Amino acid sequence: MSHSSIAWFRDTLLPQAEPPAGQTGVIHWLRARLFNGWWSSLLTVVALLALFALVNAVLPWLANSVWQADSLGECRRVLNGESGACWGVIRERWPQLLFGFYPQALYWRPLAAFVLLFVALGPILFKRVPRGVMWFSAGYPGLAFWLVWGGSLWAPVLAYAGLALAVLSFSLARRFGIGIALICALGVASTWWLHGMHVLLAVVDHQAPLQLVAVSSRELGGFLLSFVVGVSGIAMSLPLGILLALGRRSSMPLIRLMSVTFIEFVRGVPLITLLFTASLLLNYFLPPGTSFDLILRVIIMVTVFSTAYMAEVIRGGLAALPQGQTEAAQALGLDYWKAQRLVIMPQALKISIPMIVSTFIGLFKDTTLVVFIGLLDPIALSTAIRASTQWQGIYWELFLFIGGVFFVFCFGMSRYSIHLERRLKTDHR
């Protein structure tokens, strides 16, 4: 036999064959995932026993629920000594848990603001939304404020006019330098909001009144309050955190020192301390005769607290980028702000998505801390409900309902984060 007739490699494919019987099916999955060794088998057995005990304790309690009851005593009479959940408290008090003491005839207003929020977030969260909706997104905060608190429609309109004046003054003063332009913009906006806006508001409101029934802040409560504080803090902390992160990495010593001082100070102070500051001390730093609404003060402090943490999250994303990205942007002739907007920041934000959403979730849950300064969040309302003669002694049903609602919102943010990561392919695989 000649060497040329010997086949050194296969020139035809093997026919497709079924995998071995021991490598497929439920039995293989159980062995690979749950009983892969004695330690894994022990943990599986312990977990199954704990799960069985939990289900055995909770399922009969949930299955024997009472919905039609006007008091805890009536629930107990219906249960006749058996264990069961008394969901009558939720059926009777769910409007209070959701809206606080907001007037019942005006529930449509916060509901409309909630629905319109998703319209405003459309261009930000999804790709196939007309970019013209961005104009609505920009005007949504003022519209939501008007819907929730009522009063004159001209108040948010004139507040936006202050922003327009700030942008105009910044553009006119930019030739003298960015620092001077920022000072001019802040001065013009502050003067307008503190003085000029109120004078013009009285005139315009008298000539063309456009008003809704005013609702005071003390009537806001429940999940409406948590949602207002949480969404406001989330919406403002992200852009401010980006600016603060850039300030901390700035080559200008004064900007860097101010950014580092702000971040380290705020991160070193508990949120509850800032909330007490908002409740008791913030008015002392304002001009005489100026009074900020308590909820507005809380929003400011929550935003300040979240901004410091968000700045560190963004800084971590910026630090993860190779220096070559900055050098490539400079080689293209881009200035600092264009390089950040077009090259650096989009990549840093993609890397930081998990921690950004985690910070948002933590912020939304931390809104329950406002109970310590007298605001009626869901926890405070549950305490008030349990103190009433009708529902004195009820616990689990209220806390399960509150926890379930928080879980729905937080789980929704988490799932959108996963969707966004997959869409942007942040893992580069």
Side-chain angles (χ1 to χ4, degrees):
M1 180 181 296
S2 64
H3 290 287
S4 59
S5 64
I6 298 176
W8 297 99
F9 57 88
R10 180 178 293 277
D11 57 0
T12 60
L13 295 176
L14 289 173
Q16 187 174 1
E18 294 292 333
Q23 299 297 318
T24 59
V26 178
I27 301 300
H28 170 70
W29 186 88
L30 291 174
R31 287 179 178 175
R33 302 296 181 89
L34 302 180
F35 299 97
N36 185 19
W38 70 270
W39 179 245
S40 175
S41 302
L42 178 61
L43 291 179
T44 300
V45 171
V46 172
L48 289 175
L49 290 175
L51 182 62
F52 175 78
L54 180 63
V55 172
N56 188 49
V58 174
L59 190 59
W61 182 74
L62 292 175
N64 196 26
S65 298
V66 176
W67 288 91
Q68 300 296 326
D70 295 327
S71 66
L72 182 59
E74 186 176 348
C75 273
R76 290 172 175 170
R77 287 193 297 270
V78 173
L79 291 172
N80 196 21
E82 297 181 2
S83 177
C86 182
W87 298 109
V89 62
I90 305 301
R91 181 188 61 83
E92 184 188 51
R93 297 298 183 96
W94 70 266
Q96 187 176 354
L97 289 170
L98 293 183
F99 300 100
F101 297 100
Y102 205 87
Q104 187 173 0
L106 304 179
Y107 282 171
W108 67 270
R109 284 164 42 178
L111 288 176
F114 178 75
V115 172
L116 292 175
L117 172 65
F118 294 95
V119 179
L121 291 176
I124 303 171
L125 300 182
F126 305 104
K127 294 174 62 177
R128 299 180 180 178
V129 177
R131 292 301 171 183
V133 184
M134 285 293 292
W135 291 105
F136 177 79
S137 302
Y140 172 78
L143 177 61
F145 174 85
W146 182 59
L147 286 173
V148 173
W149 274 275
S152 174
L153 176 60
W154 296 111
V157 171
L158 293 178
Y160 277 107
L163 291 177
L165 290 174
V167 172
L168 179 61
S169 60
F170 179 85
S171 301
L172 295 176
R174 190 171 183 179
R175 58 182 177 176
F176 300 106
I178 298 294
I180 295 177
L182 286 174
I183 294 174
C184 291
L186 290 175
V188 170
S190 301
T191 303
W192 172 258
W193 287 329
L194 293 176
H195 302 288
M197 172 180 164
H198 302 287
V199 175
L200 187 59
L201 177 61
V203 176
V204 175
D205 200 36
H206 178 73
Q207 298 295 328
L210 294 173
Q211 293 192 352
L212 289 176
V213 177
V215 178
S216 63
S217 292
R218 66 174 179 271
E219 296 180 272
L220 271 67
F223 284 101
L224 173 60
L225 176 62
S226 296
F227 204 76
V228 168
V229 175
V231 171
S232 301
I234 287 172
M236 291 188 290
S237 65
L238 181 58
L240 293 176
I242 292 174
L243 293 177
L244 204 58
L246 294 176
R248 182 158 190 168
R249 292 168 57 90
S250 174
S251 59
M252 293 183 284
L254 180 60
I255 298 297
R256 185 171 62 252
L257 177 62
M258 293 174 59
S259 301
V260 170
T261 303
F262 177 88
I263 292 172
E264 298 303 330
F265 174 77
V266 173
R267 289 202 308 161
V269 176
L271 177 58
I272 187 63
T273 303
L274 296 179
L275 293 178
F276 277 120
T277 301
S279 176
L280 303 174
L281 301 178
L282 193 59
N283 271 341
Y284 290 103
F285 299 97
L286 300 174
T290 304
S291 178
F292 268 3
D293 184 89
L294 177 58
I295 293 180
L296 180 58
R297 283 180 271 159
V298 168
I299 290 174
I300 292 173
M301 285 303 178
V302 168
T303 302
V304 166
F305 183 80
S306 181
T307 296
Y309 282 88
M310 188 61 61
E312 289 299 279
V313 170
I314 303 300
R315 188 171 71 92
L318 291 171
L321 292 179
Q323 183 63 25
Q325 296 295 317
T326 302
E327 295 172 353
Q330 293 173 347
L332 292 173
L334 301 177
D335 61 19
Y336 176 80
W337 291 109
K338 285 185 178 180
Q340 294 295 333
R341 181 170 61 89
L342 299 175
V343 178
I344 306 301
M345 197 54 64
Q347 298 181 73
L349 292 177
K350 286 195 296 183
I351 295 172
S352 307
I353 284 174
M355 283 305 300
I356 289 175
V357 176
S358 178
T359 305
F360 287 167
I361 291 174
L363 171 62
F364 183 63
K365 292 187 295 183
D366 285 345
T367 56
T368 54
L369 292 176
V370 299
V371 64
F372 294 106
I373 58 173
L375 293 179
L376 297 177
D377 76 312
I379 304 297
L381 288 175
S382 70
T383 303
I385 292 171
R386 288 187 291 109
S388 66
T389 56
Q390 291 176 289
W391 302 107
Q392 190 173 12
I394 198 165
Y395 293 95
W396 289 106
E397 292 83 352
L398 287 168
F399 293 142
L400 285 175
F401 176 77
I402 294 171
V405 175
F406 271 108
F407 173 79
V408 168
F409 285 110
C410 295
F411 184 72
M413 285 190 279
S414 174
R415 297 308 300 178
Y416 178 79
S417 169
I418 295 174
H419 161 75
L420 193 59
E421 289 179 59
R422 290 174 178 171
R423 194 179 82 185
L424 299 177
K425 299 179 180 179
T426 57
D427 52 2
H428 302 289
R429 290 184 294 183

